[in-house]
Amino acid sequence: MTTIAPSGVPADTAPRRTRRRLHRGERSLRTTVVLLVVGFNAVLLVYPVVSALRGSFHRWNPLNGTYDPIGFENYATLFTDPVFWRTALNTVVFGTVVITLRVAVGLALACAIFARVTRWKTFFRTIFYLPTVTPLVAVAYVWKLAYHPQIGAVDTVLGLDINWLYDSTFALPAIMVMTVWKDFGYAVILFLAGLYAIPEETLEASVVDGCSPAQRFRFITLPLLAPMTVFVVVTSVIAYLQAYVQILVMTGGGPGRSTNLISFLIYEEAFVKYNFGYASAIAFVLFFCTALMTVVSFRLAGGRSLLKAAR
């Protein structure tokens, strides 16, 4: 027997129409959101990338309207430019040292916090993560003051007399130390997440089998943390190949070219010399290097297991 709703529509038909109208509304909302996201990426991501790629084949100065096609001349100039190779070497040294220290310090502190004898774990997690959420510009200015040869805390505490940021020997290592201090908390949190994901039965079985703490770390903890280690390394490679803010604030690429990294060179060519074509060529070389190093990191450190874990 069909029940008549107060509106005169059968009761079992009214909810169906409501659901149909709701589905139509949801479909419109989804379509609108997807179109907005696609439009946002097209305007703010795809169009600038395509424009930069075209610009890398031109002599391009937007201030005077120069946009002359020159083929691969920017790329040919790039590979014979000693400044580019000097900055590339600085970038490799900077990235290798900072990533290694970030992983080592982050893993060591994560294991220390994860240990059962450690108390106030939440406090330590908060303290170690605070520099990561602090704006990099503010951190760079504070460390620049700490490195000051007359009033800086570094020389005062260590009893040294070194002009850290104006000596070509110490300037890049000084920036590396600041960068590691700023970013190691990110690795601590990720490694802690990996440690808590290790099955407790596995660790207890190793204790029953008589494994020492060193053997347990080497043969159980490290292999099971491999996917997280790969993730930290890959994200660090991407981040440090684009390191720029600390260079701009602390040294401006000097003294000489001793702290000039590739991202800062792109900034100089584009926004100081207004040589946008050459800057675009450097940016695309950096892009391909980043992609290549990401693939190599996956291959060397077991990226397939990471992909399987992600799935």
Side-chain angles (χ1 to χ4, degrees):
M1 179 179 177
T2 303
T3 305
I4 304 300
S7 60
V9 179
D12 56 344
T13 307
R16 197 180 307 160
R17 290 182 178 177
T18 303
R19 285 197 299 271
R20 191 179 298 123
R21 285 197 296 270
L22 181 62
H23 291 166
R24 287 173 182 171
E26 286 181 356
R27 192 177 299 118
S28 302
L29 179 61
R30 291 171 186 172
T31 304
T32 304
V33 171
V34 169
L35 288 177
L36 285 175
V37 172
V38 171
F40 179 84
N41 287 331
V43 173
L44 298 180
L45 181 64
V46 177
Y47 176 73
V49 170
V50 172
S51 298
L53 179 60
R54 289 184 57 204
S56 69
F57 297 102
H58 291 73
R59 185 176 292 107
W60 181 17
N61 186 339
L63 285 187
N64 55 23
T66 301
Y67 199 72
D68 301 326
I70 55 174
F72 289 90
E73 185 177 319
N74 282 327
Y75 291 95
T77 304
L78 172 69
F79 289 113
T80 57
D81 185 358
V83 174
F84 170 76
W85 290 111
R86 174 64 189 275
T87 57
L89 177 62
N90 287 344
T91 305
V92 170
V93 172
F94 176 84
T96 303
V97 173
V98 172
I99 291 172
T100 303
L101 291 177
R102 186 189 204 187
V103 171
V105 174
L107 180 58
L109 290 175
C111 291
I113 295 175
F114 182 71
R116 292 182 178 177
V117 296
T118 303
R119 302 175 65 184
W120 306 310
K121 296 185 179 184
T122 304
F123 171 76
F124 285 118
R125 282 201 300 266
T126 305
I127 290 296
F128 292 144
Y129 198 65
L130 272 181
T132 304
V133 298
T134 306
L136 179 54
V137 174
V139 172
Y141 272 112
V142 171
W143 275 81
K144 185 178 182 180
L145 190 61
Y147 282 130
H148 195 280
Q150 296 176 340
I151 60 173
V154 175
D155 278 351
T156 303
V157 171
L158 299 178
L160 300 175
D161 185 18
I162 298 176
N163 198 345
W164 295 93
L165 299 180
Y166 290 91
D167 188 319
S168 59
T169 303
F170 298 105
L172 190 58
I175 295 177
M176 291 178 190
V177 171
M178 186 280 293
T179 305
V180 172
W181 180 87
K182 168 75 172 62
D183 292 339
F184 77 90
Y186 173 78
V188 171
I189 296 301
L190 290 180
F191 280 127
L192 270 176
L195 288 169
Y196 281 113
I198 296 176
E200 195 169 345
E201 298 81 10
T202 305
L203 298 176
E204 291 175 351
S206 67
V207 174
V208 173
D209 291 341
C211 288
S212 65
Q215 289 174 324
R216 190 160 60 247
F217 177 77
R218 179 180 176 185
F219 296 109
I220 296 178
T221 304
L222 270 186
L224 292 178
L225 282 180
M228 190 59 74
T229 306
V230 175
F231 180 79
V232 173
V233 170
V234 169
T235 53
S236 300
V237 167
I238 295 171
Y240 293 135
L241 283 178
Q242 303 175 52
Y244 152 77
V245 173
Q246 56 267 60
I247 305 299
L248 177 66
V249 172
M250 299 179 73
T251 63
R257 295 280 181 183
S258 61
T259 61
N260 204 356
L261 305 183
I262 287 184
S263 292
F264 189 76
L265 179 63
I266 294 172
Y267 161 78
E268 276 191 329
E269 292 292 338
F271 298 103
V272 177
K273 301 177 181 177
Y274 297 104
N275 192 357
F276 277 72
Y278 189 55
S280 299
I282 301 174
F284 271 92
V285 170
L286 179 62
F287 169 76
F288 283 112
C289 288
T290 305
L292 179 63
M293 293 182 69
T294 302
V295 173
V296 170
S297 299
F298 269 98
R299 294 292 182 187
L300 291 180
R304 291 180 181 177
S305 60
L306 177 64
L307 290 176
K308 288 179 180 178
R311 289 169 184 169

